[in-house]
Amino acid sequence: MNILITGAKGFVGRNLVENLKTLRDGRNKTRPSLQIGEIFEYDLGSSPEELDIYCREADFVFNLAGVNRPKDPEEFKAGNFGFASTLLDMLKKHGNKCPVMLSSSVQATLAGRFGTSEYGLSKKAGEDLFFKYAKESGAKVLVYRFPNLAGKWCRPNYNSAVATFCNNIANDLPITVNDPSVELELLFIDDLIEEMYDALEGKEHHCEYPAAGEIIDGREYDGLTPLWTDEGRYCGALNTHKATLGYIVECLERFHDQPTSLVMPTIPKGSFEKKLYSMYLSYLPEEKVAFDLKMNEDERGSFTELLRTADCGQFSVNISKPGITKGQHWHNSKWEFFIVVSGHGLIQERKIGINPETEQPYEPIEFEVSGDKVQAVHMLPGYTHNIINLSETENLVTLMWANETFDAKRPDTFYEEV
C-alpha cells in the first residue's frame, strides 16, 4: 500500500510519517494486516510535479495540509480549501479512486463560539468539497473533525495552549491563564495515530454531530459533541480527554518539580495524566534531561533515593563498601524488596521476639545474593534484617523498593541486630 501524506512536516504529519515507517520496516508488529509500501511526503517546498506522481501512485491519501494561523484571513480559504481542490483534481486526473482522509476540525461544526470562525468556515468548505468529490467519483472519503490536538512535537506559541504550557513550564518561562475553569477536549497524537491505522484497515469510527439543543436518547447535544454511529457521515477518534486549563497547569507544575520532589504522580495506563506527562517530557531542554540525585554518603558507602510514587512506595539504591553490614532494623507494616545488581552479599532476616517452641530467639533465614543472579528478596514485616557485603574488594550495589515513602514523623523503623 502506497500512502500519500500532505502536510507531512506538520505536527500530525511528522508523527504519522515516522509511525508508518515503523510498520513498513517491521519494527511495529501490532498491525500485521497493514503492508506499507511507499510513503509519499508532500509539504511546502514540494513541487506540483511530485504531487502529480504521488496522486497517480497512492493507494490511500491522508490530507493533513492546512492553515491554522495565517497573517491574512484570506489564507484560510487558500490553505484549507484551495489546496484540497488541487489535490482532488489531481486524483481525478489519474482516475485514482483510492480512499482519501481529510483532517478537519470541530470548529467546522460552526456551533457556539465557532459560528463566525474564519478557520471553521474554511474547514467546512473543505469538508463540503470532499463530500462532493465522494459523490461524483465514488471514492471513499473520511472526514475527521478533530478537537484540540496534543502530544510530542506539537508546536508551542502557535495554536496549542497545551503545547505552549508544556514548553514554557519545562523551560522555566512564564505562562498566562486567563480563566483556569475553561475546559479543553484533547486528542493526543498516539490515539490519533491508532485511529489512522484503523482507517487504513477500513475500521474507522463514524459519527454525526447533532445540532445544538437536539435531544437523542435523553441526551441534549451542544453541536460539538459527536454521536457515534456506524452510519455517520463524519469520522473521529474515540479516545479523547477533557480537562480544565487549571488542572492541566497543576499537572505540569508537578511534572516540573519531579526531579526535586522525586514524586511520580499517579499515571495509570491510558490516563490523561500519563499522556500529558509524555508530552511534557518532549519539551525538556537538553540541560534538564539528566538531573542529580542526593547521595547520602558515609564511611560505609551511600544511600540514594531514586523515586517516590503517590501510592506505590519509593525506590532507592544502596552501595555498601567491602565488608560492611547495613540495615539491622525491623518494621511493623512496611515491607521492602532488596535486589542486588552488582557484587556479592548476604541478606539475613530474623523474626522479632522469642520462639515459644524453643524459648530462644528465632533463627535467622539467610540468602546469599549476587549480581550474577539477580533476585528479589522480601524484607518481611516483623523481621529484623540486614545486608552484608561479602567481598573484600568490590562494592555491593542493591536496588531497594519500599511499599511506602519514608515519613520522618512515623518512620516505622526500629534498630535491632539480626
Side-chain angles (χ1 to χ4, degrees), residues 34-317:
L34 292 179
Q35 301 298 314
I36 308 300
E38 296 289 337
I39 301 172
F40 303 130
E41 302 178 42
Y42 182 88
D43 208 294
L44 295 175
S46 301
S47 67
E49 292 76 19
E50 288 175 294
L51 183 61
D52 185 73
I53 295 170
Y54 298 160
C55 285
R56 184 186 68 209
E57 302 294 333
D59 298 306
F60 197 106
V61 177
F62 289 102
N63 183 33
L64 308 177
V67 175
N68 294 312
R69 299 188 70 177
K71 295 179 181 179
D72 184 343
E74 284 297 314
E75 294 179 39
F76 276 132
K77 186 174 181 180
N80 296 330
F81 178 85
F83 174 76
S85 180
T86 299
L87 172 68
L88 297 180
D89 284 344
M90 284 200 173
L91 290 171
K92 289 179 187 176
K93 170 186 171 183
H94 294 290
N96 188 344
K97 298 182 181 180
C98 71
V100 184
M101 172 268 182
L102 172 65
S103 173
S104 188
S105 166
V106 70
Q107 292 194 36
T109 61
L110 303 178
R113 68 183 187 277
F114 300 134
T116 58
S117 163
E118 291 288 343
Y119 177 69
L121 288 167
S122 68
K123 284 294 189 183
K124 181 65 168 60
E127 291 180 356
D128 292 342
L129 183 67
F130 268 67
F131 286 131
K132 180 181 178 183
Y133 168 76
K135 185 175 182 180
E136 293 175 350
S137 68
K140 183 178 182 179
V141 165
L142 307 176
V143 175
Y144 280 85
R145 285 179 166 177
F146 292 133
N148 298 282
L149 301 180
K152 66 182 184 302
W153 308 338
C154 190
R155 180 177 170 186
N157 303 305
Y158 184 56
N159 67 335
S160 169
V162 179
T164 301
F165 292 162
C166 285
N167 176 77
N168 287 20
I169 291 175
N171 288 276
D172 299 311
L173 299 172
I175 62 169
T176 300
V177 182
N178 294 322
D179 185 355
S181 67
V182 170
E183 186 178 70
L184 298 182
E185 181 180 11
L186 296 171
L187 171 59
F188 285 92
I189 191 64
D190 291 352
D191 294 320
L192 188 158
I193 295 299
E194 290 299 321
E195 175 63 29
M196 296 300 93
Y197 289 165
D198 288 342
L200 287 171
E201 292 178 337
K203 299 186 298 187
E204 67 279 354
H205 297 91
H206 287 266
C207 63
E208 287 290 350
Y209 287 84
E214 188 172 351
I215 299 176
I216 301 176
D217 294 332
R219 177 180 180 180
E220 183 175 351
Y221 283 80
D222 57 5
L224 300 171
T225 302
L227 169 65
W228 299 103
T229 169
D230 292 341
E231 292 73 38
R233 190 184 193 197
Y234 299 94
C235 298
L238 297 177
N239 296 321
T240 64
H241 300 267
K242 291 184 178 181
T244 65
L245 291 176
Y247 182 68
I248 291 169
V249 170
E250 177 186 328
C251 288
L252 293 174
E253 288 177 342
R254 289 204 305 270
F255 302 161
H256 172 275
D257 294 342
Q258 193 277 329
T260 301
S261 70
L262 298 184
V263 175
M264 181 63 63
T266 302
I267 45 173
K269 181 180 179 180
S271 68
F272 167 77
E273 293 79 6
K274 173 190 177 295
K275 296 170 186 178
L276 183 64
Y277 208 155
S278 294
M279 180 178 180
Y280 168 79
L281 290 175
S282 71
Y283 293 86
L284 282 181
E286 182 177 336
E287 63 271 17
K288 286 191 176 184
V289 174
F291 58 94
D292 293 334
L293 296 169
K294 181 183 178 183
M295 296 180 66
N296 299 289
E297 298 179 274
D298 59 25
E299 69 281 357
R300 301 173 302 159
S302 66
F303 180 83
T304 305
E305 191 175 342
L306 303 179
L307 180 71
R308 293 181 168 221
T309 68
D311 52 12
C312 292
Q314 70 181 59
F315 297 84
S316 307
V317 62

Side-chain angles (χ1 to χ4, degrees), residues 368-384:
E368 192 169 349
V369 288
S370 167
D372 294 332
K373 182 183 179 182
V374 177
Q375 294 178 301
V377 182
H378 285 96
M379 299 301 109
L380 303 172
Y383 280 68
T384 186

